[in-house]
Amino acid sequence: MKNKIPLHTRIIIGVILGSLGGILFPQFLNFVKIFADLFLRLLKMLVIPLIFTSIVCGTISSKDSASIGRIGVKTFFYYITTSLLAILTGQFLVNLLKPGVNAKITPPENLNLQHLASNFSYSDILLKIVPENVFNSMAKGEVLPIIFFALLTGFFILKLKSEHKDFLTGFFEAFYSLMMKITEFVILLAPYGIFALLYKATAESGLKIFKTLLFYFLTVLSGLAIHFFITLPLLGFLITRKNPYIFMKKMLTPLLTAFSTSSSSATLPLTIQTIEKNVGVPNKVAGFVLPLGATINMDGTALYECVAVIYIAQCYGVHLTFSQQTVVVITSLLVSIGAAGIPMAGLVMMSVILKAVGLPLEGIGLIIAVDRFLDMFRTATNVFSDSTGALIISYLEDRESCCPYL
C-alpha cells in the first residue's frame, strides 16, 4: 500500500525548497527556469477551453431556475450581489493598503508599461467585449470576448429544440469534464511548478519578495474576514432578523470541512445535511441553492483574485487605472462563476484575469507561496456565503416557518 503525501503537503514542501533554493543556489536559475516556463505554458493551455466550457455549462445550468421560478431569480440575484460586494471589498483594501507598492520587482522584458497605461478606455472595453472573429480571439487568448461568446452560447442553447439542446448540453458538459481532468493533472504538477516559480522569483529578486508577501497575505485575509464576519452576517440579519452568529455556529462543521479540504464541492453533501437538520432550511431550497452555489458562487475566490491581480500590478510598478480595475472587477466576477470547486482552481482562473488586463502570467510566482493557505480561508468564505444564501432564500419563501432551529 502506497503512502501518498497529500497535495497540500507537497505544495508546502515545494514552497520551502523553491524559496531556499533560489536564495542559496541562484547559479542554477537558467535550468530551473525551463520548468517554471513549462508550468506557465500548461496554465496558459488551460485558460481558453476551461473558461469557455465552464461559463457555457454554468449558463446552461440556469435551466433549473426556470423550473423553480422565483427561487432561481432570488438565488442568482443574491449570488451576483454578494460576489460583487466581496470584490469591491478586496479592491478597496488593496488600493488603500497598497501591499505591493514597495516591492520593486523587475517586470518581464515583454511587458510594455506604456501600452498598459494607455490601452484602456470604456469605449475600448465595450468594443473588445464583442469579438469580430471568435476563433481569432481564442487564438490570441482574448478573454473578454470569449466570456461574452460563452454566455451567448449557453443562453441560446437553452432556446433550442429539446433534441438539439440535450445534444449540445451533453457535449459541453463532457468537454467541461475533460477540461477538469486535465486541470486536475496540471494541479498534480503544481508542487513542481511552484518550486520552479519560487526558485526563479527568489533567485532574481532575493528576499525582498517576501517583505511585501506577508502584507499581501494579511490584506486578502482582512478582506475575507470583513466579508465573512461583517458583510454576510449583516446581510443575513437585515433580511431575516435571525442571529447570524448563532447560524454560523450551527454551520461550524461544514465550514471547518471546507477550510481543511479547500473544496466547496467536496463539502457540499455535509453543507446540505447540516443546514437542513441544524437550521431547518427545507430541502426544496437547500437542494437547489447550495449545489448551484458550489458551482457559481465564489465570493472568497473573487475577492482573492481581484486583490492578487492589483497586487501583482503594484509589484511590477504598474498603475492600473480605474477603467483597468473595472475590467479586473468584471472579469473576477465572471471567472468566479466559472471557478471549479476543486483545490487550487482559483490559481488557474487567475491567469484569465492577468491576460484580460495585459499582465504577465509570471506574476503568479509572486503570490503562489501563500496561495494554498489562502485557498483554505476563501473556500470557507465561499461555503458560508452559499449557506447564508440558502437561509435568506428560505426566509423569503416562507417567513412564518423559516429556520425553526435559529
Side-chain angles (χ1 to χ4, degrees):
M1 183 176 177
K2 292 182 179 179
N3 183 22
K4 292 185 178 180
I5 302 175
L7 178 63
H8 65 272
T9 303
R10 290 188 286 125
I11 287 172
I12 292 170
I13 293 171
V15 167
I16 295 170
L17 293 180
S19 303
L20 291 175
I23 294 168
L24 298 175
F25 306 105
Q27 62 268 33
F28 299 114
L29 173 61
N30 290 334
F31 175 73
V32 177
K33 188 177 178 181
I34 296 172
F35 296 96
D37 291 341
L38 281 173
F39 183 64
L40 288 174
R41 290 178 76 91
L42 284 171
L43 288 177
K44 290 177 183 178
M45 175 188 74
L46 292 173
V47 170
I48 300 306
L50 182 60
I51 198 66
F52 182 73
T53 55
S54 65
I55 289 179
V56 169
C57 289
T59 308
I60 291 173
S61 70
S62 66
K63 64 184 177 184
D64 295 326
S65 68
S67 62
I68 296 186
R70 62 182 183 276
I71 295 179
V73 174
K74 292 171 185 175
T75 302
F76 276 101
F77 182 76
Y78 167 81
Y79 284 157
I80 295 297
T81 301
T82 56
S83 292
L84 195 56
L85 286 172
I87 293 167
L88 293 176
T89 300
Q91 183 189 24
F92 172 77
L93 286 176
V94 75
N95 282 292
L96 176 69
L97 301 176
K98 303 185 187 306
V101 164
N102 295 319
K104 298 178 181 178
I105 304 297
T106 304
E109 295 177 1
N110 60 350
L111 180 60
N112 188 334
L113 298 183
Q114 290 184 340
H115 175 74
L116 269 176
S118 62
N119 196 41
F120 280 78
S121 68
Y122 288 111
S123 59
D124 286 341
I125 293 169
L126 188 60
L127 289 173
K128 287 179 179 178
I129 285 175
V130 181
E132 292 179 333
N133 183 329
V134 68
F135 297 105
N136 189 42
S137 295
M138 287 182 175
K140 291 182 177 179
E142 295 172 348
V143 173
L144 291 180
I146 292 167
I147 290 175
F148 176 77
F149 185 71
L151 289 169
L152 283 182
T153 301
F155 179 79
F156 283 105
I157 283 175
L158 296 176
K159 303 296 181 183
L160 295 175
K161 293 179 180 179
S162 180
E163 55 185 299
H164 296 151
K165 179 173 68 175
D166 292 343
F167 171 76
L168 287 174
T169 298
F171 170 77
F172 279 109
E173 287 178 349
F175 196 178
Y176 179 63
S177 298
L178 171 64
M179 291 312 304
M180 282 297 95
K181 290 295 181 183
I182 299 174
T183 301
E184 288 169 9
F185 166 71
V186 174
I187 288 173
L188 284 176
L189 298 177
Y192 311 103
I194 287 170
F195 165 82
L197 285 168
L198 277 172
Y199 189 106
K200 178 184 174 184
T202 52
E204 291 177 342
S205 305
L207 288 173
K208 67 180 180 181
I209 189 175
F210 293 105
K211 293 179 181 178
T212 58
L213 192 59
L214 177 61
F215 199 8
Y216 156 75
F217 179 84
L218 294 175
T219 301
V220 177
L221 215 55
S222 299
L224 293 173
I226 290 171
H227 194 68
F228 191 101
F229 291 107
I230 299 175
T231 305
L232 292 173
L234 184 61
L235 193 62
F237 175 75
L238 289 175
I239 295 174
T240 68
R241 297 296 171 177
K242 305 286 185 182
N243 188 318
Y245 299 105
I246 292 178
F247 172 65
M248 192 183 294
K249 184 178 178 181
K250 297 272 188 183
M251 297 301 298
L252 192 60
T253 300
L255 290 176
L256 290 175
T257 304
F259 181 81
S260 60
T261 62
S262 297
S263 173
S264 52
S265 295
T267 312
L268 181 59
L270 184 59
T271 309
I272 294 175
Q273 181 188 45
T274 304
I275 204 167
E276 288 181 6
K277 291 189 175 181
N278 292 4
V279 180
V281 172
N283 179 261
K284 71 171 186 177
V285 174
F288 172 72
V289 175
L290 293 175
L292 188 64
T295 306
I296 70 170
N297 184 46
M298 301 285 174
D299 291 6
T301 302
L303 183 151
Y304 145 82
E305 287 170 345
C306 179
V307 173
V309 170
I310 297 173
Y311 167 76
I312 289 168
Q314 290 173 353
C315 286
Y316 285 138
V318 176
H319 173 69
L320 293 180
T321 63
F322 186 79
S323 59
Q324 286 173 297
Q325 290 197 28
T326 301
V327 173
V328 173
V329 169
I330 293 171
T331 314
S332 296
L333 180 63
L334 291 173
V335 302
S336 71
I337 293 173
I342 58 175
M344 303 279 299
L347 188 65
V348 178
M349 294 301 181
M350 175 72 65
S351 56
V352 176
I353 310 174
L354 289 172
K355 287 181 72 68
V357 292
L359 290 168
L361 261 63
E362 286 86 345
I364 291 174
L366 302 177
I367 61 165
I368 207 165
V370 295
D371 180 79
R372 177 63 181 127
F373 304 104
L374 288 175
D375 198 8
M376 297 187 290
F377 290 99
R378 63 181 185 252
T379 303
T381 304
N382 293 340
V383 171
F384 186 56
S385 177
D386 296 344
S387 305
T388 303
L391 173 68
I392 290 173
I393 302 303
S394 176
Y395 176 81
L396 293 175
E397 285 297 299
D398 189 353
R399 300 188 181 194
E400 297 299 325
S401 61
C402 169
C403 313
Y405 305 129
L406 286 182

